[in-house]
Coordinates of all heavy atoms in Angstrom, one line a residue:
M117 N 185.7 23.5 142.7 CA 184.5 23.2 142.0 C 184.4 21.7 142.0 O 185.4 21.0 141.6 CB 184.6 23.8 140.6 CG 183.2 23.9 140.0 SD 183.2 24.7 138.4 CE 183.4 26.4 138.8
A118 N 183.3 21.1 142.2 CA 183.1 19.7 142.1 C 182.9 19.2 140.7 O 182.6 20.1 139.8 CB 181.9 19.3 143.0
T119 N 183.1 17.9 140.4 CA 182.8 17.4 139.1 C 181.5 16.5 139.2 O 181.2 16.1 140.3 CB 184.0 16.6 138.6 OG1 184.2 15.4 139.4 CG2 185.2 17.4 138.4
Y120 N 180.9 16.4 138.1 CA 179.7 15.6 138.0 C 179.7 14.8 136.7 O 180.1 15.4 135.7 CB 178.4 16.4 138.2 CG 177.2 15.6 138.4 CD1 176.9 15.2 139.7 CD2 176.4 15.2 137.4 CE1 175.8 14.4 139.9 CE2 175.2 14.4 137.6 CZ 174.9 14.0 138.8 OH 173.8 13.3 139.0
T121 N 179.2 13.6 136.7 CA 179.0 12.8 135.5 C 177.6 12.7 135.1 O 176.7 12.4 135.9 CB 179.6 11.4 135.7 OG1 181.0 11.5 136.0 CG2 179.5 10.6 134.4
V122 N 177.3 13.1 133.8 CA 176.0 12.9 133.3 C 176.1 11.6 132.3 O 177.1 11.4 131.7 CB 175.5 14.1 132.5 CG1 175.1 15.2 133.5 CG2 176.5 14.6 131.5
R123 N 175.0 10.8 132.4 CA 175.0 9.6 131.6 C 173.9 9.6 130.5 O 172.8 10.2 130.7 CB 174.7 8.5 132.6 CG 175.9 8.3 133.6 CD 175.8 7.1 134.5 NE 174.5 6.9 135.1 CZ 173.9 5.7 135.3 NH1 174.6 4.6 135.0 NH2 172.8 5.6 135.9
N124 N 174.3 9.0 129.4 CA 173.4 9.0 128.2 C 172.1 8.4 128.6 O 172.0 7.4 129.3 CB 174.1 8.1 127.1 CG 173.1 7.9 125.9 OD1 172.5 6.9 125.9 ND2 173.1 8.9 125.1
G125 N 171.0 9.0 128.1 CA 169.7 8.5 128.3 C 169.0 8.7 129.6 O 168.0 8.1 130.0
K126 N 169.6 9.6 130.4 CA 169.1 9.9 131.8 C 168.5 11.3 131.8 O 168.9 12.2 131.2 CB 170.2 9.7 132.8 CG 170.8 8.4 132.9 CD 169.8 7.4 133.4 CE 170.5 6.0 133.6 NZ 169.5 5.0 134.1
W127 N 167.6 11.4 132.7 CA 167.0 12.7 133.1 C 167.6 13.3 134.3 O 168.1 12.5 135.2 CB 165.5 12.6 133.3 CG 164.7 12.4 132.1 CD1 164.4 11.2 131.5 CD2 164.1 13.4 131.3 NE1 163.6 11.3 130.4 CE2 163.4 12.7 130.2 CE3 164.1 14.7 131.3 CZ2 162.7 13.4 129.2 CZ3 163.4 15.4 130.3 CH2 162.7 14.7 129.3
Y128 N 167.7 14.6 134.4 CA 168.3 15.2 135.6 C 167.4 16.4 136.1 O 166.8 17.1 135.3 CB 169.7 15.8 135.2 CG 170.7 14.7 134.9 CD1 170.8 14.2 133.7 CD2 171.4 14.1 136.0 CE1 171.6 13.1 133.4 CE2 172.3 13.0 135.7 CZ 172.4 12.5 134.5 OH 173.2 11.5 134.2
I129 N 167.3 16.5 137.4 CA 166.6 17.6 138.0 C 167.6 18.3 138.9 O 168.4 17.7 139.6 CB 165.4 17.2 138.8 CG1 164.6 18.4 139.3 CG2 165.7 16.2 139.9 CD1 163.2 18.1 139.7
A130 N 167.7 19.6 138.7 CA 168.8 20.4 139.5 C 168.1 21.6 140.1 O 167.2 22.2 139.6 CB 169.8 20.9 138.5
R131 N 168.7 21.9 141.3 CA 168.3 23.1 142.0 C 169.5 24.1 141.7 O 170.6 23.8 141.9 CB 168.2 22.9 143.5 CG 167.7 24.1 144.3 CD 167.2 23.7 145.7 NE 168.2 23.0 146.4 CZ 169.0 23.5 147.3 NH1 168.9 24.7 147.6 NH2 169.8 22.7 148.0
I132 N 169.1 25.3 141.3 CA 170.0 26.3 140.8 C 169.9 27.5 141.7 O 168.8 28.0 141.9 CB 169.9 26.6 139.3 CG1 170.0 25.4 138.5 CG2 170.8 27.7 138.9 CD1 169.5 25.5 137.1
S133 N 171.0 28.0 142.2 CA 171.0 29.2 143.0 C 171.7 30.3 142.3 O 172.9 30.2 142.0 CB 171.8 28.9 144.3 OG 171.8 30.1 145.2
L134 N 171.0 31.4 142.0 CA 171.6 32.5 141.3 C 171.8 33.7 142.2 O 170.9 33.9 143.1 CB 170.7 32.9 140.1 CG 170.4 31.8 139.1 CD1 169.3 32.3 138.1 CD2 171.6 31.4 138.4
S135 N 172.8 34.4 142.1 CA 173.1 35.6 142.9 C 173.4 36.8 142.1 O 173.7 36.7 140.9 CB 174.2 35.3 143.9 OG 175.4 35.0 143.2
G136 N 173.4 37.9 142.7 CA 173.8 39.2 142.1 C 172.9 39.4 140.9 O 171.7 39.2 140.9
F137 N 173.4 40.0 139.8 CA 172.7 40.3 138.6 C 172.0 39.1 138.0 O 171.0 39.2 137.3 CB 173.7 41.0 137.6 CG 173.0 41.4 136.3 CD1 172.2 42.6 136.4 CD2 173.1 40.8 135.2 CE1 171.5 43.0 135.2 CE2 172.5 41.2 134.0 CZ 171.7 42.3 134.0
N138 N 172.6 37.9 138.1 CA 172.1 36.7 137.6 C 170.7 36.4 138.1 O 169.9 35.7 137.4 CB 173.0 35.5 137.8 CG 174.3 35.6 137.0 OD1 174.3 36.2 136.0 ND2 175.4 35.1 137.6
R139 N 170.3 36.9 139.2 CA 169.0 36.6 139.8 C 167.9 37.2 138.9 O 166.7 36.7 139.0 CB 168.8 37.3 141.1 CG 169.8 36.8 142.2 CD 169.7 37.7 143.4 NE 168.4 37.8 144.0 CZ 167.9 37.0 144.9 NH1 168.6 36.0 145.4 NH2 166.7 37.2 145.4
F140 N 168.2 38.1 138.0 CA 167.3 38.7 137.1 C 167.1 38.0 135.7 O 166.3 38.3 134.9 CB 167.6 40.2 136.8 CG 167.6 41.0 138.1 CD1 168.8 41.4 138.7 CD2 166.4 41.4 138.6 CE1 168.8 42.1 139.8 CE2 166.4 42.1 139.9 CZ 167.6 42.5 140.4
A141 N 167.9 36.9 135.6 CA 167.8 36.1 134.3 C 166.4 35.5 134.3 O 165.9 35.0 135.2 CB 168.9 35.0 134.4
T142 N 165.9 35.4 133.0 CA 164.6 34.7 132.8 C 164.9 33.2 132.8 O 166.0 32.7 132.7 CB 164.0 35.1 131.5 OG1 164.9 34.6 130.4 CG2 163.8 36.6 131.3
N143 N 163.8 32.5 133.0 CA 163.9 31.0 133.0 C 164.4 30.5 131.6 O 165.1 29.5 131.5 CB 162.6 30.3 133.4 CG 162.3 30.5 134.9 OD1 163.2 30.8 135.7 ND2 161.1 30.4 135.3
S144 N 164.0 31.2 130.6 CA 164.4 30.9 129.2 C 166.0 31.1 129.1 O 166.6 30.3 128.4 CB 163.7 31.8 128.2 OG 162.4 31.5 128.2
M145 N 166.5 32.1 129.8 CA 167.9 32.3 129.7 C 168.7 31.2 130.5 O 169.7 30.7 130.0 CB 168.3 33.6 130.3 CG 167.8 34.8 129.5 SD 167.9 36.4 130.4 CE 169.6 36.7 130.4
V146 N 168.1 30.7 131.6 CA 168.7 29.6 132.3 C 168.6 28.4 131.5 O 169.6 27.6 131.4 CB 168.1 29.5 133.7 CG1 168.6 28.2 134.5 CG2 168.2 30.7 134.6
A147 N 167.5 28.1 130.9 CA 167.3 26.9 130.1 C 168.3 26.9 128.9 O 168.9 25.9 128.6 CB 165.9 26.8 129.6
A148 N 168.5 28.1 128.3 CA 169.4 28.1 127.1 C 170.9 27.8 127.6 O 171.6 27.1 126.8 CB 169.4 29.6 126.6
K149 N 171.3 28.1 128.8 CA 172.6 27.8 129.2 C 172.7 26.2 129.4 O 173.8 25.6 129.0 CB 172.9 28.4 130.6 CG 173.1 29.8 130.6 CD 174.6 30.1 130.1 CE 174.9 31.6 130.4 NZ 176.2 31.9 129.9
L150 N 171.7 25.6 129.9 CA 171.7 24.1 130.0 C 171.7 23.5 128.6 O 172.3 22.5 128.3 CB 170.5 23.6 130.8 CG 170.6 24.1 132.3 CD1 169.3 23.8 133.0 CD2 171.8 23.4 133.0
E151 N 170.9 24.0 127.7 CA 170.9 23.5 126.3 C 172.3 23.7 125.6 O 172.7 22.8 124.9 CB 169.8 24.2 125.5 CG 168.4 23.8 126.0 CD 167.3 24.7 125.6 OE1 167.5 25.8 125.0 OE2 166.1 24.3 125.7
D152 N 172.9 24.8 125.9 CA 174.2 25.0 125.3 C 175.2 23.9 125.8 O 176.1 23.6 125.1 CB 174.8 26.4 125.7 CG 174.1 27.5 125.0 OD1 173.3 27.3 124.0 OD2 174.3 28.7 125.4
A153 N 175.0 23.4 127.0 CA 175.9 22.4 127.6 C 175.5 21.0 127.0 O 176.3 20.1 127.2 CB 175.7 22.4 129.1
G154 N 174.4 20.9 126.3 CA 174.0 19.6 125.7 C 172.7 19.0 126.1 O 172.3 18.0 125.5
F155 N 172.1 19.6 127.1 CA 170.8 19.0 127.5 C 169.7 19.4 126.5 O 169.7 20.4 125.9 CB 170.4 19.6 128.9 CG 171.2 19.0 130.0 CD1 172.4 19.6 130.5 CD2 170.8 17.8 130.7 CE1 173.1 19.1 131.5 CE2 171.6 17.3 131.7 CZ 172.7 17.9 132.1
I156 N 168.7 18.5 126.5 CA 167.5 18.8 125.6 C 166.2 18.7 126.5 O 166.3 18.2 127.6 CB 167.4 17.9 124.4 CG1 167.2 16.4 124.9 CG2 168.6 18.0 123.5 CD1 166.9 15.5 123.7
N157 N 165.1 19.1 126.0 CA 163.8 19.0 126.7 C 163.9 19.7 128.1 O 163.5 19.2 129.1 CB 163.3 17.6 126.9 CG 163.1 16.9 125.6 OD1 162.7 17.6 124.6 ND2 163.2 15.6 125.5
V158 N 164.6 20.8 128.1 CA 164.9 21.6 129.4 C 163.7 22.4 129.8 O 163.1 23.1 128.9 CB 166.1 22.5 129.2 CG1 166.3 23.3 130.5 CG2 167.3 21.6 128.9
E159 N 163.3 22.3 131.0 CA 162.3 23.1 131.6 C 162.9 23.8 132.9 O 163.5 23.1 133.6 CB 161.0 22.3 132.0 CG 160.3 21.8 130.8 CD 159.0 21.0 131.3 OE1 158.4 21.5 132.2 OE2 158.7 20.0 130.7
V160 N 162.6 25.1 133.1 CA 163.1 25.7 134.3 C 161.9 26.5 134.9 O 161.1 27.1 134.2 CB 164.2 26.8 133.9 CG1 164.6 27.5 135.2 CG2 165.4 26.0 133.3
E161 N 161.8 26.3 136.2 CA 160.7 27.1 137.0 C 161.4 27.8 138.1 O 162.4 27.4 138.6 CB 159.6 26.1 137.4 CG 158.8 25.5 136.3 CD 157.6 24.7 136.8 OE1 157.3 24.8 138.0 OE2 157.0 24.1 136.0
G162 N 160.7 28.8 138.6 CA 161.1 29.6 139.7 C 161.4 31.0 139.3 O 161.2 31.4 138.2
S163 N 161.9 31.8 140.3 CA 162.2 33.2 140.0 C 163.3 33.6 141.1 O 163.5 32.9 142.1 CB 161.0 34.0 140.1 OG 160.4 34.0 141.4
G164 N 163.8 34.7 140.8 CA 164.9 35.3 141.7 C 166.1 34.3 141.8 O 166.6 33.8 140.8
G165 N 166.4 34.1 143.1 CA 167.7 33.3 143.3 C 167.6 31.8 143.2 O 168.6 31.2 143.1
I166 N 166.4 31.3 143.3 CA 166.3 29.8 143.3 C 165.5 29.3 142.1 O 164.3 29.8 141.9 CB 165.6 29.3 144.6 CG1 166.5 29.6 145.8 CG2 165.4 27.7 144.5 CD1 167.9 29.0 145.8
R167 N 166.0 28.4 141.3 CA 165.3 27.9 140.1 C 165.4 26.3 140.2 O 166.4 25.8 140.8 CB 166.0 28.3 138.8 CG 166.2 29.8 138.7 CD 165.0 30.6 138.7 NE 165.3 32.0 138.7 CZ 165.5 32.8 137.7 NH1 165.3 32.3 136.4 NH2 165.8 34.1 137.8
L168 N 164.5 25.6 139.6 CA 164.5 24.2 139.5 C 164.5 23.9 138.0 O 163.7 24.5 137.2 CB 163.3 23.6 140.2 CG 163.3 23.6 141.7 CD1 162.0 23.0 142.2 CD2 164.5 22.8 142.2
A169 N 165.4 23.0 137.5 CA 165.5 22.7 136.1 C 165.4 21.2 135.9 O 166.0 20.5 136.7 CB 166.8 23.3 135.6
V170 N 164.8 20.8 134.8 CA 164.7 19.4 134.4 C 165.3 19.4 133.0 O 165.0 20.2 132.2 CB 163.3 18.9 134.5 CG1 163.2 17.5 133.8 CG2 162.8 18.7 135.9
G171 N 166.1 18.4 132.7 CA 166.7 18.2 131.4 C 167.1 16.8 131.1 O 167.3 16.0 132.0
Y172 N 167.2 16.4 129.8 CA 167.5 15.1 129.4 C 168.9 15.1 128.7 O 169.2 16.1 128.0 CB 166.5 14.6 128.4 CG 166.7 13.2 127.8 CD1 166.4 12.1 128.6 CD2 167.3 13.0 126.6 CE1 166.6 10.8 128.1 CE2 167.6 11.7 126.1 CZ 167.2 10.7 126.8 OH 167.4 9.4 126.3
W173 N 169.8 14.2 129.0 CA 171.1 14.1 128.5 C 171.1 13.1 127.3 O 171.2 11.9 127.6 CB 172.1 13.8 129.6 CG 173.5 13.9 129.1 CD1 174.3 12.8 128.7 CD2 174.3 15.1 128.8 NE1 175.6 13.3 128.3 CE2 175.5 14.7 128.3 CE3 173.9 16.4 128.9 CZ2 176.5 15.6 128.0 CZ3 174.9 17.3 128.5 CH2 176.2 16.9 128.1
P174 N 171.2 13.5 126.0 CA 171.1 12.6 124.9 C 172.5 12.2 124.4 O 172.6 11.3 123.6 CB 170.4 13.3 123.9 CG 170.9 14.8 124.1 CD 171.0 14.9 125.6
L175 N 173.5 12.8 124.9 CA 174.9 12.6 124.4 C 175.6 11.5 125.2 O 175.0 10.9 126.1 CB 175.7 13.9 124.6 CG 175.1 15.1 123.9 CD1 175.8 16.4 124.3 CD2 174.9 14.9 122.4
D176 N 176.8 11.1 124.8 CA 177.6 10.1 125.5 C 177.8 10.6 126.9 O 177.8 11.8 127.3 CB 179.0 9.9 124.8 CG 178.9 9.3 123.4 OD1 177.9 8.6 123.2 OD2 179.8 9.5 122.6
D177 N 178.1 9.6 127.8 CA 178.5 9.9 129.2 C 179.6 11.0 129.2 O 180.5 10.9 128.3 CB 179.0 8.7 129.9 CG 177.9 7.6 130.1 OD1 176.8 7.8 129.6 OD2 178.2 6.6 130.7
A178 N 179.5 11.9 130.1 CA 180.5 13.0 130.2 C 180.7 13.4 131.6 O 179.8 13.4 132.4 CB 180.1 14.2 129.3
T179 N 181.9 13.8 132.0 CA 182.2 14.3 133.3 C 182.7 15.7 133.1 O 183.6 16.0 132.2 CB 183.3 13.5 134.0 OG1 182.7 12.1 134.2 CG2 183.6 14.0 135.4
A180 N 182.2 16.6 133.9 CA 182.7 18.0 133.8 C 182.6 18.7 135.2 O 182.0 18.1 136.1 CB 181.8 18.8 132.8
E181 N 183.2 19.9 135.3 CA 183.1 20.6 136.5 C 181.6 21.1 136.7 O 181.0 21.5 135.7 CB 184.0 21.8 136.5 CG 185.5 21.5 136.6 CD 186.4 22.6 136.7 OE1 185.9 23.8 136.7 OE2 187.6 22.4 136.9
Q182 N 181.1 20.9 137.8 CA 179.8 21.4 138.2 C 179.8 22.8 138.6 O 180.5 23.2 139.6 CB 179.2 20.5 139.3 CG 177.8 20.9 139.7 CD 177.3 19.9 140.7 OE1 177.4 18.7 140.6 NE2 176.6 20.4 141.8
P183 N 179.1 23.7 137.8 CA 179.1 25.1 138.2 C 178.6 25.3 139.7 O 177.8 24.6 140.1 CB 178.2 25.7 137.2 CG 178.1 24.8 136.1 CD 178.3 23.4 136.7
D184 N 179.2 26.3 140.3 CA 178.8 26.6 141.7 C 177.3 26.9 141.8 O 176.7 26.7 142.9 CB 179.6 27.8 142.3 CG 181.1 27.5 142.4 OD1 181.4 26.3 142.6 OD2 181.9 28.4 142.4
E185 N 176.7 27.4 140.8 CA 175.2 27.7 140.8 C 174.4 26.5 141.0 O 173.2 26.6 141.4 CB 174.8 28.5 139.6 CG 175.5 29.9 139.4 CD 176.8 29.8 138.8 OE1 177.3 28.8 138.4 OE2 177.5 30.9 138.8
I186 N 174.8 25.3 140.5 CA 174.1 24.1 140.6 C 174.4 23.5 142.0 O 175.4 23.0 142.3 CB 174.4 23.1 139.5 CG1 174.0 23.7 138.2 CG2 173.7 21.8 139.8 CD1 174.3 22.8 137.0
V187 N 173.4 23.7 143.0 CA 173.6 23.3 144.3 C 173.2 21.9 144.6 O 173.5 21.3 145.6 CB 173.0 24.3 145.3 CG1 173.7 25.7 145.2 CG2 171.5 24.5 145.1
D188 N 172.4 21.3 143.7 CA 171.9 19.9 143.9 C 171.5 19.4 142.6 O 170.8 20.1 141.8 CB 170.7 19.9 144.9 CG 170.3 18.5 145.3 OD1 171.2 17.6 145.4 OD2 169.1 18.3 145.4
I189 N 171.9 18.2 142.3 CA 171.4 17.5 141.0 C 171.2 16.0 141.3 O 171.9 15.4 142.0 CB 172.5 17.7 139.9 CG1 172.0 17.2 138.6 CG2 173.9 17.2 140.3 CD1 172.8 17.7 137.4
V190 N 170.1 15.6 140.7 CA 169.7 14.2 140.9 C 169.4 13.6 139.5 O 168.7 14.1 138.7 CB 168.4 14.1 141.8 CG1 168.0 12.6 141.9 CG2 168.7 14.7 143.1
E191 N 169.9 12.3 139.3 CA 169.7 11.6 138.1 C 168.5 10.8 138.2 O 168.2 10.2 139.3 CB 170.9 10.7 137.9 CG 170.8 9.8 136.6 CD 172.0 8.9 136.5 OE1 173.0 9.4 136.0 OE2 171.8 7.7 136.8
K192 N 167.6 10.7 137.2 CA 166.4 10.0 137.1 C 166.3 9.1 135.9 O 166.9 9.5 134.8 CB 165.2 10.9 137.1 CG 165.1 11.9 138.3 CD 164.6 11.1 139.6 CE 164.4 12.0 140.7 NZ 163.9 11.3 141.9
D193 N 165.7 8.0 136.0 CA 165.5 7.1 134.8 C 164.4 7.5 133.9 O 164.4 7.2 132.7 CB 165.3 5.6 135.3 CG 166.5 5.0 135.9 OD1 167.6 5.3 135.4 OD2 166.3 4.2 136.8
S194 N 163.4 8.2 134.4 CA 162.3 8.7 133.6 C 162.1 10.2 133.9 O 162.6 10.8 134.9 CB 161.0 7.9 133.9 OG 160.7 8.1 135.3
E195 N 161.3 10.9 133.1 CA 161.2 12.3 133.2 C 160.6 12.7 134.5 O 159.5 12.3 134.8 CB 160.3 12.8 132.0 CG 160.2 14.3 132.0 CD 159.4 14.8 130.8 OE1 158.9 14.0 130.0 OE2 159.3 16.1 130.7
P196 N 161.3 13.4 135.3 CA 160.7 13.9 136.6 C 159.9 15.1 136.4 O 160.0 15.9 135.4 CB 161.9 14.2 137.4 CG 163.0 14.6 136.4 CD 162.6 13.9 135.1
E197 N 159.0 15.3 137.3 CA 158.2 16.6 137.4 C 158.9 17.5 138.3 O 159.5 17.1 139.3 CB 156.8 16.3 137.8 CG 155.9 15.5 136.9 CD 154.5 15.4 137.3 OE1 154.0 16.3 138.0 OE2 153.9 14.4 136.9
I198 N 158.8 18.8 137.9 CA 159.4 19.8 138.8 C 158.4 19.9 140.0 O 157.2 20.2 139.8 CB 159.6 21.1 138.1 CG1 160.7 21.0 137.0 CG2 160.0 22.2 139.1 CD1 160.9 22.3 136.2
P199 N 159.0 19.8 141.3 CA 158.1 19.9 142.4 C 157.6 21.3 142.5 O 158.3 22.3 142.2 CB 159.0 19.6 143.6 CG 160.3 19.1 143.1 CD 160.3 19.5 141.6
T200 N 156.3 21.5 142.9 CA 155.8 22.8 143.1 C 155.6 23.2 144.6 O 155.7 22.4 145.4 CB 154.4 22.9 142.4 OG1 153.5 21.9 142.9 CG2 154.6 22.8 140.9

């Protein structure tokens, strides 16, 4: 599993790949997992196996293992829009 560092005051957009039973999770359930990790202002779009999520990191800089479900993550200085 790779590690990733999130930085205080930054926005993040992530592509999430869900498999198996997790494909049936609602976007609210996916958002709640990100909020449990510390993100705020989380929005999730998509369905089935591929989701796009945007969230803001208000906490101190932190490094953690990046879950396998997060296949791509990009840091932004301002709030990004989820591509449609």
